[in-house]
């Protein structure tokens, strides 16, 4: 038991660090800290760029959708006017036809 | 029997309250030839922004657009007769009480009926019906007869000669 205690004490004895150990540790910590800060800057820039692109993309998509809606509306408008035109033409031709075969027509004016 | 009515007035400002045409929607199932256009004021403004340029043909169209509040078209061409009922047409005409009929042509023999109606300050409605056809055009908003006349020849829109019959009113009835 005494031998065991002695071995344990021997193993756990306080040992002074080698010369320059503290400076080396601090220097390494500084290097690693700088290295870890670099990716975070990159990430920030990448995120900002991504957001900018996403915003620009969103605006472009919105404008494209608006343009498509406007073109559809224009096509619908022209279609509506063409149908109106055709139907007014039908009315006119019915009037003309009615007037042409109007021998028995009398006025209620 | 044919009834021909002509009441033509110039320089009238026309506008309309939206007609309820929902009861016609079921007719779309009975034909493959349907024109269904619903343009509210916002869509007309949007469409107008895409009519810039486009030459002389579209100039008159562009001129009338600012006064319009809606354009609604329902047009059905059926393969068989009697695909719609008289009640369908009556339901539309009931909504047009108080409107002036500027043109009406009715042929009992052919079963055709055409009507152009307007209400000053409200709009214009063209109603064409026949055994195999039913069309309702509702142009809502401010449009003058001169503007309608000027549309003649543009986009295939026939000329409407209102000056010749200005302020005249005729009702003719033919058997």
């Amino acid at each position: 038991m005494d031998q065991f205690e002695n071995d344990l004490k021997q193993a756990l004895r306080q040992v002074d660090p080698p010369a320059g150990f503290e400076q080396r540790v601090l220097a390494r910590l500084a290097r690693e800290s700088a290295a870890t800060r670099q990716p975070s800057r990159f990430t920030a820039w990448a995120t900002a760029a991504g957001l900018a692109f996403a915003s620009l993309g969103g605006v472009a998509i919105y404008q494209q959708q608006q343009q498509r809606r406007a073109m559809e509306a224009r096509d619908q408008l022209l279609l509506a006017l063409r149908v109106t035109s055709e139907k007014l033409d039908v009315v006119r031709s019915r009037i003309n036809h009615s007037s042409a075969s109007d021998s028995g027509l009398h006025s209620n004016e | 029997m044919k009834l021909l009515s002509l009441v033509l007035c110039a320089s009238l400002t026309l506008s309309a309250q939206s007609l309820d045409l929902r009861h016609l929607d079921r007719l779309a199932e009975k034909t493959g030839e349907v024109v269904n256009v619903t343009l509210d004021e916002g869509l007309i403004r949007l469409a107008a922004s895409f009519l810039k340029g486009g030459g002389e043909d579209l100039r008159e169209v562009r001129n009338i657009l600012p006064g319009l509040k809606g354009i609604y078209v329902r047009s059905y061409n059926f393969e068989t007769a009697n695909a719609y009922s008289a009640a369908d047409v009556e339901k539309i005409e009931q909504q047009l009480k108080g409107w002036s009929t500027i043109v009406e042509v009715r042929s009992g023999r052919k079963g055709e009926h055409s009507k152009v109606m307007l209400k000053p300050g409200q709009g214009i409605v063209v109603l064409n019906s026949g055994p195999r056809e039913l069309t309702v055009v509702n142009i809502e908003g401010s449009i003058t007869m001169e503007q309608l006349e000027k549309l003649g020849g543009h986009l295939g829109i026939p000329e409407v000669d209102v000056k010749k019959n200005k302020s005249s009113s005729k009702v003719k009835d033919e058997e």
Side-chain angles (χ1 to χ4, degrees):
Chain A
M1 199 60 179
D2 285 345
Q3 182 60 39
F4 175 73
E5 283 179 359
N6 286 336
D7 289 344
L8 193 59
K9 279 179 186 173
Q10 182 64 24
L12 298 176
R13 76 182 189 283
Q14 191 171 355
V15 178
D16 289 334
F21 176 78
E22 188 180 346
Q23 286 76 12
R24 286 200 302 277
V25 169
L26 289 174
R28 186 172 176 179
L29 275 174
R31 278 199 309 274
E32 287 183 354
S33 171
T36 53
R37 271 201 306 272
Q38 195 66 27
S40 73
R41 260 189 218 145
F42 172 77
T43 307
W45 279 109
T47 305
L51 285 172
F53 277 119
S55 302
L56 288 173
V59 169
I61 289 170
Y62 175 76
Q63 284 178 337
Q64 204 173 18
Q65 284 174 343
Q66 281 294 96
Q67 191 172 356
R68 195 169 58 235
R69 276 189 70 208
M71 287 176 76
E72 283 171 3
R74 182 198 59 183
D75 292 345
Q76 290 278 291
L77 173 71
L78 296 178
L79 173 65
L81 292 175
R82 281 197 193 99
V83 171
T84 306
S85 153
E86 286 171 14
K87 298 311 164 187
L88 285 173
D89 210 15
V90 168
V91 175
R92 256 165 56 118
S93 70
R94 284 179 182 173
I95 290 171
N96 292 339
H97 183 261
S98 168
S99 301
S101 59
D102 215 13
S103 55
L105 189 143
H106 60 275
S107 173
N108 291 338
E109 199 172 4
Chain B
M1 179 177 141
K2 286 184 182 175
L3 174 68
L4 172 64
S5 304
L6 293 170
V7 181
L8 296 168
C9 307
S11 303
L12 282 175
T13 300
L14 316 171
S15 70
Q17 289 177 333
S18 293
L19 286 180
D20 185 357
L21 302 173
R22 284 174 297 180
H23 66 285
L24 300 180
D25 290 346
R26 63 182 173 76
L27 299 178
E29 297 164 7
K30 300 182 178 181
T31 176
E33 204 175 327
V34 182
V35 177
N36 185 338
V37 176
T38 299
L39 288 170
D40 60 16
E41 194 172 2
L43 285 173
I44 291 173
R45 299 286 94 80
L46 197 60
S49 69
F50 262 68
L51 287 177
K52 286 171 183 162
E56 189 67 19
D57 275 357
L58 294 177
R59 192 165 59 86
E60 295 303 337
V61 175
R62 282 197 304 270
N63 287 343
I64 67 161
L65 292 183
L68 300 187
K69 296 195 183 308
I71 300 177
Y72 306 94
V73 176
R74 299 289 183 278
S75 184
Y76 307 92
N77 283 302
F78 306 103
E79 288 178 4
T80 57
N82 304 318
Y84 65 93
S85 67
D88 291 326
V89 180
E90 280 167 16
K91 209 165 181 176
I92 298 165
E93 291 186 327
Q94 278 170 2
Q95 297 175 61
L96 295 169
K97 281 178 181 167
W99 287 57
S100 301
T101 303
I102 58 171
V103 178
E104 182 170 17
V105 187
R106 189 191 292 270
S107 166
R109 202 170 44 223
K110 292 180 183 174
E112 293 170 343
H113 186 201
S114 294
K115 243 182 175 181
V116 180
M117 302 182 78
L118 70 87
K119 191 167 188 182
Q122 299 220 348
I124 188 166
V125 170
V126 180
L127 180 59
N128 267 3
S129 59
R132 295 183 178 188
E133 185 220 344
L134 180 61
T135 297
V136 187
V137 176
N138 178 22
I139 298 177
E140 182 185 310
S142 297
I143 179 172
T144 64
M145 288 303 290
E146 276 80 5
Q147 285 173 322
L148 192 62
E149 183 187 10
K150 280 179 183 172
L151 281 177
H154 299 286
L155 301 165
I157 298 171
E159 291 181 28
V160 181
D161 189 358
V162 293
K163 285 174 185 159
K164 210 161 54 181
N165 301 293
K166 205 176 198 175
S167 302
S168 70
S169 173
K170 286 183 188 173
V171 178
K172 292 177 182 176
D173 197 352
E174 183 195 33
E175 276 302 329

